Amino acid sequence: MPQVTYDGQSFLIDGRRIWLVSGSIHYPRVPRDLWRDRIRAAKQAGLNCIDTYVFWNLHERSPGKFDFTGEKDLRHFIELIHAEGLYCILRPGPYICSEWDNGGLPAWLARLETVKEGPVRLRQGDQRFLEACARYLGAVMDQVRDHQATAKGGGPIVLMQAENEWFCHNPDQAKAYLRELVRYLRENGAQVPIFECNNLWQRIDGALCAWNGHQNLAGDLRQFRQIQPNAPRLVSEYWPGWFDAWGRPATQIADPAVNELRLAQMLASGAQFNLYMFHGGTNFGFWGGRSVESPACYVTTSYDYGAALAEGGTRGPQYAAVKRICTFASHFAHVFANLDPDHHTPCIATDGDEEHPLSVVSQTGTQGTVVFLFRSPQDKTQAVCCLLPHGQTIEVPLGEELVSWFVVDVNLAGAAQLSYTTLRPWAFVGRKLLVVFGPAGAQGVVSINDAPLRVNVPKGKTPEVHAHEGVTIAVLSTEQVDAAYLTGDGRLIIGASALDAQDKPVALRGWASQTAVDADGNTQRLRATP
């Protein structure tokens, strides 16, 4: 049977290192007929993992009567994730927050009050509450037990979360309640690692710690390494936006460039992340909850959350920014999963919203080195000279982006060695097709097996394609990479708004036709159906 383990660098499946690039999609907030479409949109954005809560009060409306059918078919949702070749992080609670009615706790729990013991004490070691939790977690595990990565044949679930944001320090209740939840999961067949996201307020025996947040990530994650050196760093909730509530102005959506920078910050800190939300969806019926922010803070029907994939499934600038960095992280996962977790050089601190000089953060490991260049919105530097470890100077074009990156001495799946590139690597497909991108009109260098190739970043709609050292190199502009998708048969499609269920390009406004590039460098003109 397969095993999912971890060390200070990454998670491992039977000793093979994996790197999670995850996003949250909640099945109750999306109609069942659209589940696969939303999961495919995540995959096309470069994600390799889907995270979801399990909503207790949705599944057990009456004590002991569980419903996992139709729009509540958790098992089917996980099967669709598996069918797309993605991992899954499952977060069964029992409390989930998520701006959901009562944080997912069933209303009937209040009826457990007795004259002798008084009101039931929720999220504590109250035996009445624990018995209900045990029954619920057992029912959830019955649905998902054989969909764990440890099951025969291997399923998508690689992690499970116990409770959610238990933000208090109470060692007695941690033992009486939180530790019991871990025990219930284990006794009901949970074989993958279990984590908690209490931001170190209260640690749980038998569970690794994760982090939630959206600012000061670089500093927080470096400190996190010192506190938990024997487990990988995981940001279980990175918030690219926020929810809306009735009676207050709509939430200001974060600048896509800032979100891209913060995702890069987490990678540069050696951390895996989960976008909360990748696709927020809709609070159907009366499932929207009330926030603790104020007594009258009721969550709106829309749970758009400023997510990469908007409530109606549309893809805009947020999606494009997420796709740039997440595709890179997934396709170069072997580099990130094998970084030295203790290699943190001093650097200029930046969070993307302060005026500061250009900052360089370098991480290295057994599979190569990755370098991130961060700058503030006030900095207008268009290119910077970087000194490589062996003494060579390269000029890296920055364009208008707040973050750029390049790699050094990276093994391309045994096919070649990517010595360095001054342009941003984006994907490596079929052990032959390397895709890089940069500002339109810039010049760059891609060095394979220590043989440099000078390239020009195209200004129009057509990519530049080269054959070099047995590798096909596709050079794209930022505009082109935002309109680029990778098909299941290893082709690069440029000029599309998405890929449909048959991996055919969907037309994009402003692009009269699409260009397809295969691993051998052959190009073909396509015309998508409007």
Side-chain angles (χ1 to χ4, degrees):
M1 302 289 281
Q3 283 190 315
V4 181
T5 57
Y6 59 86
D7 58 18
Q9 290 174 276
S10 72
F11 297 99
L12 303 94
I13 299 179
D14 273 357
R16 176 179 60 85
R17 295 193 178 278
I18 63 171
W19 190 260
L20 300 178
V21 184
S22 179
S24 291
I25 302 175
H26 296 157
Y27 58 98
R29 288 178 161 134
V30 180
R32 177 182 172 124
D33 289 347
L34 293 175
W35 286 352
R36 185 168 188 179
D37 175 84
R38 302 313 193 236
I39 293 168
R40 283 178 58 83
K43 182 178 181 179
Q44 290 172 20
L47 274 62
N48 64 14
C49 181
I50 300 297
D51 164 286
T52 186
Y53 284 122
V54 184
F55 298 71
W56 183 3
N57 54 7
L58 183 76
H59 295 292
E60 192 181 8
R61 301 291 295 274
S62 300
K65 297 179 180 179
F66 291 96
D67 184 0
F68 289 95
T69 63
E71 300 290 327
K72 307 172 186 178
D73 195 343
L74 169 66
R75 184 177 178 85
H76 180 61
F77 184 73
I78 294 172
E79 288 170 347
L80 291 176
I81 294 172
H82 195 202
E84 292 299 329
L86 306 180
Y87 299 117
C88 176
I89 298 174
L90 193 69
R91 307 169 77 184
Y95 176 80
I96 61 170
C97 181
S98 189
E99 292 74 56
W100 188 262
D101 183 51
N102 211 30
L105 300 180
W108 53 257
L109 288 169
R111 298 202 298 270
L112 299 180
E113 178 177 355
T114 63
V115 174
K116 182 179 179 181
E117 298 179 85
V120 64
R121 295 179 295 279
L122 305 177
R123 305 181 73 192
Q124 300 180 51
D126 185 311
Q127 192 60 36
R128 296 164 294 176
F129 181 57
L130 289 176
E131 288 175 0
C133 290
R135 182 177 65 230
Y136 159 68
L137 291 175
V140 172
M141 289 306 302
D142 286 344
Q143 296 294 314
V144 306
R145 189 178 298 110
D146 59 341
H147 282 340
Q148 298 176 87
T150 54
K152 185 178 180 181
I157 300 173
V158 291
L159 292 174
M160 291 188 190
Q161 179 179 299
E163 242 274 346
N164 186 69
E165 294 182 334
W166 207 73
F167 289 161
C168 60
H169 180 68
N170 190 325
D172 291 338
Q173 286 300 328
K175 292 179 181 178
Y177 171 51
L178 298 181
R179 192 166 65 180
E180 287 296 279
L181 299 181
V182 174
R183 181 171 71 86
Y184 297 155
L185 288 169
R186 290 295 184 211
E187 289 180 350
N188 281 283
Q191 296 178 326
V192 298
I194 295 173
F195 71 97
E196 47 81 2
C197 63
N198 303 332
N199 281 19
L200 300 176
W201 276 97
Q202 189 65 63
R203 304 175 72 172
I204 311 173
D205 292 341
L208 61 97
C209 303
W211 189 256
N212 287 2
H214 73 292
Q215 291 181 315
N216 306 313
L217 293 166
D220 288 343
L221 291 169
R222 285 192 177 198
Q223 294 178 48
F224 210 81
R225 169 66 185 169
Q226 306 304 312
I227 295 169
Q228 186 178 245
N230 298 318
R233 281 154 289 185
L234 172 66
V235 179
S236 51
E237 289 188 15
Y238 162 67
W239 306 313
W242 203 243
F243 64 90
D244 285 326
W246 295 105
R248 72 180 187 189
T251 302
Q252 287 292 109
I253 302 302
D255 184 340
V258 172
N259 271 332
E260 183 181 13
L261 179 143
R262 288 176 176 164
L263 293 174
Q265 276 188 328
M266 291 182 277
L267 292 172
S269 302
Q272 299 164 86
F273 59 78
N274 173 63
L275 276 157
Y276 187 98
M277 302 288 297
F278 170 76
H279 173 60
T282 305
N283 291 315
F284 295 104
F286 295 96
W287 287 116
R290 187 176 75 179
S291 173
V292 297
E293 292 183 6
S294 73
C297 186
Y298 291 92
V299 179
T300 59
T301 304
S302 171
Y303 198 65
D304 183 76
Y305 218 90
L309 191 69
E311 182 183 11
T314 54
R315 309 179 187 196
Q318 287 285 18
Y319 185 91
V322 165
K323 182 157 71 81
R324 279 178 231 140
I325 189 74
C326 289
T327 302
F328 165 62
S330 292
H331 280 256
F332 290 81
H334 66 293
V335 179
F336 290 104
N338 286 279
L339 292 174
D340 179 354
D342 294 312
H343 179 83
H344 290 300
T345 57
C347 64
I348 296 171
T350 166
D351 202 33
D353 49 12
E354 303 275 339
E355 185 171 356
H356 56 76
L358 188 71
S359 182
V360 181
V361 181
S362 174
Q363 289 275 30
T364 191
T366 59
Q367 295 296 312
T369 298
V370 58
V371 181
F372 289 94
L373 307 173
F374 299 99
R375 67 179 186 182
S376 70
Q378 291 81 12
D379 189 295
K380 302 304 179 184
T381 306
Q382 293 296 299
V384 64
C385 288
C386 293
L387 187 63
L388 298 183
H390 54 267
Q392 183 178 355
T393 301
I394 61 173
E395 184 175 273
V396 179
L398 303 179
E400 303 300 322
E401 318 301 332
L402 298 184
V403 59
S404 296
W405 58 86
F406 63 90
V407 297
V408 180
D409 294 331
V410 167
N411 187 312
L412 296 177
Q417 187 83 356
L418 178 54
S419 305
Y420 67 87
T421 172
T422 63
L423 302 178
R424 276 166 267 181
W426 187 62
F428 185 62
V429 186
R431 302 185 70 245
K432 193 169 183 181
L433 175 60
L434 174 66
V435 186
V436 298
F437 75 100
Q443 294 182 324
V445 178
V446 181
S447 181
I448 306 288
N449 299 333
D450 289 324
L453 173 71
R454 296 192 176 278
V455 298
N456 296 305
V457 180
K459 292 183 178 180
K461 306 288 190 183
T462 305
E464 191 172 291
V465 181
H466 302 271
H468 183 59
E469 291 291 309
V471 175
T472 298
I473 302 172
V475 183
L476 279 59
S477 66
T478 303
E479 179 191 15
Q480 289 173 346
V481 85
D482 288 350
Y485 291 92
L486 301 167
T487 66
D489 60 2
R491 292 187 303 159
L492 170 68
I493 305 290
I494 302 154
S497 63
L499 298 178
D500 66 15
Q502 287 73 46
D503 264 358
K504 303 296 182 183
V506 179
L508 175 63
R509 186 182 299 275
W511 294 72
S513 63
Q514 293 71 44
T515 302
V517 183
D518 67 18
D520 294 321
N522 301 310
T523 62
Q524 179 185 6
R525 282 292 194 190
L526 305 174
R527 191 171 295 275
T529 302

